[in-house]
Amino acid sequence: PVSDDDLRAVVGPLAGPAEVPPGVGEAFGEPSLARAGQGVLAALAVAGLAWRAGSLAPGGAAAATLVGAGAVAGGWRWGGLLILYFVASSGLSRWRRAAKAARTAGVVEKGGRRDAAQVLANGGLFAGLAAVGGLVAPAGVAEAALTGAAAGALAASAADTWATEVGTAVGGTPR
């Protein structure tokens, strides 16, 4: 296992002080089996609604259930952040849909429904890091590093997805 000292040696001055401020570990909640079970049920409900709304293909809904459950395993706020990302991304996918379809005809094969590969590519790393971060002892450098990495993974997915949707909608052809 990797210790806090090992992480400090790798991250160095970027890690900041050796002690994480009080409350950081509690920000996303203590891990529990009850929350993990509730996360599976909540993720299943959200994925089912997204499938019925046409945002997810059946495989995408199954993958979204895994991603959502992983996020909630790290804490309810991670699950909320994932839902916010998904709702914003779905809204941008629907925005000016006809113009984007005309612009991307022959270039982009996939439609508006997200499949399992897309869901896992955009949310898998985030969910895994959030889940592991929720299991690490709070207020340690390891937890802080995992929290930052999870947030960064979701931010990168949002930047990629939103830039593609907005860029295509306002006149860019994807390359």
Side-chain angles (χ1 to χ4, degrees):
V2 178
S3 71
D4 286 352
D5 290 334
D6 294 334
L7 283 172
R8 275 191 212 96
V10 172
V11 179
L14 296 176
E19 294 299 317
V20 176
V24 171
E26 297 86 36
F28 294 99
E30 292 296 319
S32 73
L33 289 177
R35 187 181 66 224
Q38 293 165 350
V40 170
L41 294 176
L44 186 60
V46 171
L49 290 172
W51 172 74
R52 288 191 64 176
S55 294
L56 293 173
T65 300
L66 293 174
V67 168
V72 172
W76 282 108
R77 291 183 183 171
W78 285 123
L81 187 61
L82 181 63
I83 290 171
L84 180 65
Y85 161 75
F86 179 71
V87 168
S89 297
S90 295
L92 285 172
S93 291
R94 293 174 190 268
W95 175 59
R96 299 187 66 187
R97 180 179 278 172
K100 289 188 287 190
R103 211 171 261 123
T104 61
V107 178
V108 177
E109 296 178 19
K110 294 188 177 193
R113 290 183 141 214
R114 303 290 192 249
D115 63 21
Q118 290 170 306
V119 170
L120 293 172
N122 284 311
L125 180 60
F126 160 74
L129 290 166
V132 172
L135 298 174
V136 174
V141 173
E143 187 220 11
L146 288 165
T147 297
L154 194 61
S157 293
D160 176 60
T161 300
W162 300 353
T164 300
E165 296 295 344
V166 172
T168 305
V170 298
T173 300
R175 295 179 238 164

